[in-house]
Amino acid sequence: MPKQERYRSIIDVHVILERDGEILLLERQGTGYCDGMLHLPSGHLDDGEPVTHGAAREAFEEVGVRIDPDALRLAAVVHHRQRPDLARIGFFFATSRWEGEPYNAEPHKCGKLLWTDPAILPSNTIDYPAAGIRAYLTGTPFTLHGW
């Protein structure tokens, strides 16, 4: 009997930038995935990269802010089932400490930036990050989404 390969999952990193009771969302555009909908600064973890470094890197790539990985606090982990054959694990980190003013650093992927009250998310917020934001607000360290 052939040896079965171990299960592997995509690891996502999401950054909740906190300022004056609001968080930063980005409107997706031109990506082919949920265009016109809102998401946090986020992306995939690179091979060999610690999750906090990946989160800081993604925030810089998408909104131009520099974050010390040590300034990130784990807000929630979401095990997300995107479709029957694809699941992801999302690490949601929060911080109110960064250098620079957020701006649209990827205009080919992002239509605009929006500061919003996390307790009243816009209706066009993607369900997956919305689940992480709700967990962050309620202090729930882990949640399943889409299972």
Side-chain angles (χ1 to χ4, degrees):
M1 181 171 178
K3 184 177 178 182
Q4 186 174 3
E5 195 170 316
R6 289 184 183 222
Y7 173 76
R8 294 174 189 239
S9 183
I10 296 170
I11 305 296
D12 297 321
V13 288
H14 308 258
V15 181
I16 300 170
L17 295 177
E18 307 163 316
R19 182 166 71 184
D20 300 326
E22 296 183 319
I23 64 170
L24 184 66
L25 297 177
L26 292 68
E27 182 186 60
R28 296 183 62 87
Q29 156 183 297
T31 67
Y33 172 74
C34 293
D35 290 336
M37 297 187 77
L38 300 171
H39 203 298
L40 293 163
S42 63
H44 308 104
L45 190 64
D46 287 344
D47 188 30
E49 183 178 44
V51 291
T52 51
H53 290 244
R57 174 185 52 76
E58 286 292 347
F60 178 73
E61 290 175 3
E62 294 192 0
V63 296
V65 297
R66 294 199 181 275
I67 301 172
D68 179 342
D70 291 336
L72 293 167
R73 67 184 186 284
L74 184 61
V77 176
V78 178
H79 194 191
H80 169 66
R81 188 173 185 189
Q82 189 165 338
R83 57 180 197 252
D85 66 332
L86 179 62
R88 316 168 83 86
I89 298 172
F91 288 85
F92 288 74
F93 293 98
T95 189
S96 58
R97 296 178 15 220
W98 63 83
E99 293 178 21
E101 181 62 25
Y103 69 94
N104 184 356
E106 294 185 321
H108 59 290
K109 293 182 180 179
C110 177
K112 64 183 176 184
L113 305 183
L114 173 72
W115 288 97
T116 189
D117 180 340
I120 309 169
L121 292 175
S123 61
N124 63 332
T125 304
I126 300 170
D127 286 343
Y128 172 28
I133 294 165
R134 282 190 301 274
Y136 150 79
L137 288 174
T138 60
T140 306
F142 172 78
T143 190
L144 294 172
H145 181 260
W147 291 91

